Amino acid sequence: MVHEEFEGYLSRRHSISKRVVHLIFTTKYRRKIFDGMMLQQIREAFISAAEKLEIEILEMDGEADHVHLLVAYPPKLAVSVLVNNLKSISSRRVRILNTNLRKASNSGVLWSRAYFACSAGGATIETLKAYVASQKTPD
């Protein structure tokens, strides 16, 4: 039984959690190779991977040389593992569907090895501090 206050949270046998990360992936050498169709292919690859990884893609969009993702993920999944899976699955799909990519990127490598990851939550640190501080300490 999940209380109303935990709606939207991931509920497991021994835990209730909500972990959201903002990810940014850039193309190798920041080459501007994405168009609308490729971004849609990447989105589909991410959605396909989401089921296997037990994650939820909350939002995804991008530009010619990078993509932004907002992902809800379970505590058992390390962000680095999440990133590696999303990059490899999307890279494979895009390279298969766009045979011209090897010419556009020289090596055929889609993503830079680097990535940006930042935790994203519904409350600010100040709000959380105030909530923790407001707990009624027993006498």
Side-chain angles (χ1 to χ4, degrees):
M1 181 172 136
V2 176
H3 297 283
E4 278 183 30
E5 64 186 294
F6 295 119
E7 192 172 319
Y9 285 71
L10 179 64
S11 181
R12 294 292 186 248
R13 189 170 179 190
H14 297 289
S15 68
I16 297 174
S17 64
K18 185 171 193 173
R19 296 176 61 135
V20 178
V21 64
H22 175 201
L23 300 171
I24 303 173
F25 304 156
T26 58
T27 58
K28 185 83 169 177
Y29 306 120
R30 294 296 296 245
R31 288 199 172 95
K32 297 182 183 306
I33 55 176
F34 296 151
D35 59 19
M37 186 184 345
M38 288 175 79
L39 287 172
Q40 182 58 34
Q41 293 166 354
I42 291 168
R43 180 179 286 108
E44 290 166 2
F46 289 158
I47 291 169
S48 169
E51 194 174 318
K52 295 176 192 117
L53 294 169
E54 298 177 7
I55 63 170
E56 182 181 358
I57 307 294
L58 301 174
E59 195 66 52
M60 182 262 166
D61 211 340
E63 295 185 11
D65 64 352
H66 69 279
V67 297
H68 287 260
L69 278 160
L70 203 53
V71 180
Y73 66 101
K76 68 179 182 180
L77 184 61
V79 172
S80 60
V81 171
L82 169 65
V83 166
N84 287 338
N85 276 276
L86 290 173
K87 281 184 173 184
S88 65
I89 290 168
S90 60
S91 177
R92 192 176 310 116
R93 179 181 179 95
V94 168
R95 283 186 283 123
I96 288 170
L97 296 175
N98 299 277
T99 54
N100 62 325
L101 189 60
R102 183 168 291 282
K103 287 177 236 145
S105 69
N106 291 338
S107 65
V109 175
L110 181 63
W111 300 115
S112 163
R113 289 175 60 189
Y115 63 91
F116 170 86
C118 181
S119 62
T124 65
I125 298 298
E126 291 75 27
T127 302
L128 293 171
K129 282 181 177 178
Y131 174 75
V132 171
S134 74
Q135 300 302 297
K136 294 179 179 23
T137 306
D139 292 331

